Amino acid sequence: MPTKEEVMESLDAVLVPGATRSLVKLNLVRQVAISDQEVNISLASAALNEGTQDWLKAKVRDVTRKLPGVKEAEIGFVKAKPKDLNEIRHVVAVASGKGGVGKSLVTGLLGVSLARWGHEVGILDADITGPSIPKMFGISTRPSGSDSGILPVLSRLGIEIMSINLLLPNEDDAIIWRGPLIGGAIKQFWEEVLWGRLDYLLVDLPPGTADAPLTVMQSLPLSGVVIVFSPQELAAMVVRKAVQMAQKMNIPILGVVENMSYLYVPDTGKRIELFGSSKAQEMVKAAGAPLLGQLPIDPQLARLCDEGDIERYNSEAMNSFAEAFLQAISAKAR
Ligand code: ADP
């Protein structure tokens, strides 16, 4: 007879339709009992419609019966809420004092580096006022699910993505919502989306320091915040406000990132500070947190984002930012 680990291993090869992540990674396996020639498996039905449940039942039975020594396999479903199944090591918010500094892009790049290095990553696009994450990743699939939850959409690299944009009838529909309403919607994304097991869930916050990012921060169990700014930012005051907001809620600031720091000219190897000189030191002081990275303006990056191909981008600057991020989070977790 197989061991429990062997059964789990075979279940890890069963991908849930709609999510294309395995039963194990989605944390849907609730119980595995092995007795004399029989294996009993209990799965959670959260976010799975009836058709998917039937398909999974047949598939799991099939896979399990193929294991050596197994004569019979019984597969059952139990009810569970996504929020009780989600096991996320770190929920990290990405914030900015104002819009247009590239907060979503920085969130996307961080997710891409982490996923390439083998971490399980999800991105919750909470920037409901300008949700640009799905576009960068070239995703327009409507998430599937049932009354008991929603499954995130998987990117090409295997990043779980959820955005209000994916749920709207028309991608271009503008959303004009007040802060508290945004908070409510995000809370739902947190509680009703089956993220499953993740190392990092990156939350792309609405910009600014008004109600909207605040309510989002309050609804999620954040491990920390990353603050994005650009050299165009007129004063460290905006960053300071964001810092105060996080401090008030006892959320550690993991660090700051300067985006559009300079323009790199490949022909000459020169760096041009298009938006004036770096504000990095000023921001580090304002945030009382380290500088995690400085990302250049890169026309190739802008193009890949427009084409929905952010996952094809790779640069030293993005990887060194992601490395500094991992260091900052492990330092805070200690
Ligand atoms: P925010 O989330 O702060 O509102 P976005 O991430 O949506 O901003 O970025 C705004 C626009 O600027 C996007 O079209 C993006 O492609 C572009 N952009 C941002 N950062 C860079 C960069 N480092 N290089 C090239 N284009 C960038």
Side-chain angles (χ1 to χ4, degrees):
M1 284 299 281
T3 62
K4 195 178 160 193
E5 285 68 33
E6 282 161 347
V7 173
M8 287 302 269
E9 210 172 289
S10 64
L11 295 181
D12 202 16
V14 177
L15 301 183
V16 175
T20 43
R21 268 187 107 208
S22 85
L23 278 170
V24 175
K25 290 206 171 103
L26 284 171
N27 217 13
L28 287 171
V29 184
R30 297 289 83 202
Q31 213 183 354
V32 174
I34 302 161
S35 58
D36 192 28
Q37 298 183 333
E38 185 173 320
V39 177
N40 277 277
I41 297 172
S42 143
L43 302 172
S45 62
L48 308 178
N49 61 36
E50 257 175 52
T52 308
Q53 286 181 40
D54 290 345
W55 185 88
L56 281 170
K57 196 169 181 168
K59 178 83 185 166
V60 169
R61 188 157 180 266
D62 212 33
V63 164
T64 313
R65 284 179 65 184
K66 285 201 178 111
L67 293 168
V70 179
K71 283 247 161 59
E72 203 38 77
E74 276 299 319
I75 320 299
F77 280 95
V78 291
K79 284 202 169 120
K81 291 187 175 131
K83 69 169 177 177
D84 298 326
L85 300 171
N86 291 338
E87 275 180 29
I88 302 171
R89 255 195 331 142
H90 292 293
V91 185
V92 176
V94 183
S96 68
K98 64 184 191 91
V101 299
K103 174 182 45 59
S104 304
L105 183 132
V106 169
T107 311
L109 288 181
L110 178 59
V112 170
S113 283
L114 296 175
R116 276 199 194 122
W117 295 338
H119 298 286
E120 296 290 335
V121 180
I123 299 180
L124 196 175
D125 185 5
D127 190 355
I128 275 175
T129 53
S132 44
I133 293 285
K135 192 167 176 279
M136 279 176 201
F137 283 86
I139 287 175
S140 54
T141 322
R142 231 180 139 66
S144 57
S146 69
D147 327 341
S148 59
I150 314 172
L151 292 166
V153 177
L154 212 68
S155 79
R156 274 159 277 193
L157 258 183
I159 300 174
E160 288 192 332
I161 291 179
M162 183 48 74
S163 168
I164 190 91
N165 238 17
L166 297 172
L167 300 172
L168 291 175
N170 183 343
E171 210 187 309
D172 294 325
D173 286 350
I175 310 189
I176 305 158
W177 283 3
R178 283 177 297 109
L181 277 183
I182 294 181
I186 301 309
K187 198 163 176 212
Q188 233 173 329
F189 273 0
W190 169 248
E191 292 182 351
E192 290 172 28
V193 172
L194 182 69
W195 299 99
R197 290 187 183 162
L198 285 180
D199 297 311
Y200 299 98
L201 179 65
L202 308 176
V203 183
D204 185 7
L205 285 186
T209 51
D211 265 5
L214 199 78
T215 39
V216 176
M217 280 194 188
Q218 280 165 339
S219 354
L220 305 176
L222 295 174
S223 300
V225 186
V226 171
I227 296 175
V228 184
F229 64 93
S230 80
Q232 284 168 296
E233 208 123 357
L234 289 178
M237 202 184 72
V238 196
V239 167
R240 227 172 268 135
K241 261 191 167 171
V243 170
Q244 276 167 8
M245 191 165 82
Q247 281 169 343
K248 233 192 246 166
M249 280 179 280
N250 262 326
I251 302 167
I253 312 275
L254 296 168
V256 295
V257 188
E258 187 171 57
N259 185 34
M260 307 197 241
S261 207
Y262 54 90
L263 176 72
Y264 179 70
V265 188
D267 293 350
T268 60
K270 269 196 185 143
R271 291 176 169 205
I272 302 172
E273 294 188 324
L274 212 60
F275 295 131
S277 61
S278 167
K279 295 270 189 306
Q281 286 325 310
E282 200 184 330
M283 296 303 176
V284 162
K285 227 169 128 191
L291 179 68
L292 300 178
Q294 285 178 296
L295 303 171
I297 300 168
D298 186 341
Q300 189 209 359
L301 173 57
R303 204 194 64 235
L304 286 174
C305 283
D306 281 347
E307 293 169 357
D309 255 341
I310 191 175
E311 289 170 302
R312 285 179 52 204
Y313 186 74
N314 204 348
S315 77
E316 215 180 294
M318 104 192 226
N319 289 325
S320 97
F321 156 49
E323 237 167 69
F325 165 84
L326 287 177
Q327 274 172 17
I329 206 153
S330 66
K332 293 280 179 205
R334 247 182 261 134

